Amino acid sequence: MTEQEQEHDVADTGSSTRSGFVALIGATNAGKSTLVNRLVGAKVSIVSHKVQTTRAIVRGIAIHDNAQIVFMDTPGIFKPRRRLDRAMVTTAWGGAKDADQIMFLIDSERGLKGDAEKILEALKEVHQPKILVLNKIDRVSPEDLLKLAKAANDVVPFERTFMISALNGSGCKDAMDYLAKALPEGPWYYPEDQISDLPMRQLAAEITREKLFLRLHQELPYSSHVETEKWEERKDGSVRIEQVIYVERDSQKKIALGKNGEAIKAISMASRKELSEILEQPVHLFLFVKVRENWGDDPERFREMGLEFPR
């Protein structure tokens, strides 16, 4: 296609299409990753009951009517205690300030307590258009939902308020209808069939990290990190993937391996199954556990996670 044809193509479609970035922010475990996966219609962000699972910004791309909506699943905002915590919170607010729309997600059961209340106060200083989303509405009475919506809007005047269940999809279409009309006119940022900007090697590592949390969430602390070290496409149509789980101490390595290697086998099996479904090809997954003391102070690990290293 010539440059003139490209310009003509943009001119033809720019006025009829919309596109933009929507940052999901909220306290930890508000349901942001579950909601992004629901709105995109595919697994693009890892989900677990352990708080602060999302570490960097994950972009999930959805097409709705004539709009391409790029959802930015940001790390939950909380009071940081460690360097990794500070990097995650900084990343979350940075994502919000770069977005066309901000979607503030509240766990309706917990309401405006703790971190959610602090985030709401901080949103007063953020000038982008903002919508309020009350999640987990099936667990709260309609009367309490209305009170919560009013309390939040009394602090920050949101453009719209939506009441949804990220788990079963209730109310999600209304939010999508609104965003599809609210985003600016212009050409799409990504190809129509792309659902995430996360490289496959990184997504594979995130999936294994999710299975690690799901299996060992009571025992293994946050000081663990997964990297995909080798990715080999084989002639028989399968793929061989080698990943390393980094922990900080020998005691954590024993937990990750489990008695007679049972834990690491279960994690590998669950991760391999999901990766095979996503890649639509057989996967040979090999997991290794290595001790790397104080990896949370290593700038290279932060770059690998897509985070800025805070000084």
Side-chain angles (χ1 to χ4, degrees):
M1 184 183 285
T2 66
E3 191 174 328
Q4 288 82 0
E5 286 174 324
Q6 286 178 330
E7 289 175 357
H8 179 68
D9 187 56
V10 170
D12 281 348
T13 61
S15 60
S16 61
T17 60
R18 293 177 181 271
S19 59
F21 293 82
V22 178
L24 269 77
I25 67 167
T28 57
N29 248 359
K32 295 183 299 297
S33 297
T34 302
L35 182 57
V36 167
N37 291 341
R38 166 70 62 181
L39 298 179
V40 172
K43 178 77 161 278
V44 294
S45 192
I46 73 170
V47 179
S48 91
H49 296 300
K50 199 174 178 73
V51 296
Q52 301 150 29
T53 309
T54 301
R55 285 178 174 167
I57 289 180
V58 177
R59 292 177 181 86
I61 305 157
I63 307 294
H64 191 75
D65 295 336
N66 66 335
Q68 185 177 70
I69 308 168
V70 185
F71 291 101
M72 300 192 293
D73 178 13
T74 62
I77 298 172
F78 56 100
K79 185 177 180 181
R81 295 181 179 85
R82 305 162 298 167
R83 178 175 268 133
L84 177 59
D85 297 344
R86 294 204 308 274
M88 289 161 62
V89 171
T90 300
T91 296
W93 279 117
K97 288 168 183 173
D98 288 340
D100 296 294
Q101 291 269 343
I102 293 173
M103 182 183 281
F104 177 41
L105 193 65
I106 296 178
D107 178 335
S108 298
E109 263 192 315
R110 286 187 295 183
L112 287 174
K113 295 177 184 174
D115 292 328
E117 186 177 18
K118 291 171 188 164
I119 296 165
L120 185 63
E121 284 293 328
L123 278 174
K124 290 178 181 177
E125 308 303 317
V126 179
H127 302 298
Q128 282 91 334
K130 295 173 279 287
I131 64 173
L132 174 67
V133 177
L134 304 184
N135 189 24
K136 306 179 185 178
I137 59 169
D138 49 323
R139 303 180 184 180
V140 181
S141 72
E143 185 182 353
D144 287 341
L145 285 171
L146 291 172
K147 286 180 183 175
L148 178 57
K150 183 180 184 307
N153 276 277
D154 283 347
V155 179
V156 173
F158 290 94
E159 304 281 331
R160 288 283 298 274
T161 297
F162 296 95
M163 301 184 183
I164 65 134
S165 167
L167 205 56
N168 66 30
S170 174
C172 290
K173 184 180 181 300
D174 291 340
M176 291 289 277
D177 288 344
Y178 173 80
L179 290 171
K181 292 181 175 66
L183 291 177
E185 290 186 352
W188 293 351
Y189 290 99
Y190 297 94
E192 188 172 354
D193 59 350
Q194 188 170 338
I195 60 168
S196 174
D197 70 344
L198 203 62
M200 189 50 69
R201 288 172 70 107
Q202 196 175 337
L203 179 61
E206 286 289 275
I207 286 169
T208 298
R209 188 163 69 91
E210 176 188 59
K211 306 312 176 195
L212 184 73
F213 278 163
L214 291 172
R215 173 81 186 192
L216 301 170
H217 63 96
Q218 296 293 342
E219 303 157 80
L220 195 68
Y222 287 105
S223 43
S224 59
H225 171 57
V226 180
E227 289 182 19
T228 301
E229 295 215 327
K230 289 186 181 177
W231 187 292
E232 179 193 352
E233 297 285 347
R234 305 177 70 171
K235 290 180 181 178
D236 62 2
S238 66
V239 58
R240 177 190 170 95
I241 302 170
E242 293 184 14
Q243 295 178 332
V244 177
I245 298 169
Y246 288 106
V247 294
E248 289 190 318
R249 294 188 293 278
D250 278 319
S251 59
Q252 295 169 359
K253 181 176 180 179
K254 289 176 184 174
I255 292 170
L257 290 171
K259 187 178 180 182
N260 300 322
E262 287 175 5
I264 198 74
K265 285 176 188 172
I267 292 162
S268 178
M269 190 179 301
S271 184
R272 184 171 64 245
K273 181 176 183 294
E274 185 156 329
L275 284 169
S276 296
E277 291 169 0
I278 290 172
L279 296 169
E280 297 181 339
Q281 65 186 122
V283 171
H284 307 283
L285 178 62
F286 298 88
L287 299 184
F288 306 91
V289 184
K290 295 182 181 179
V291 176
R292 179 177 277 161
E293 292 183 9
N294 302 318
W295 72 260
D297 295 320
D298 181 359
E300 183 60 33
R301 304 282 72 76
F302 279 70
R303 279 193 292 273
E304 192 73 30
M305 288 184 281
L307 295 170
E308 271 190 42
F309 184 74
R311 300 293 173 184

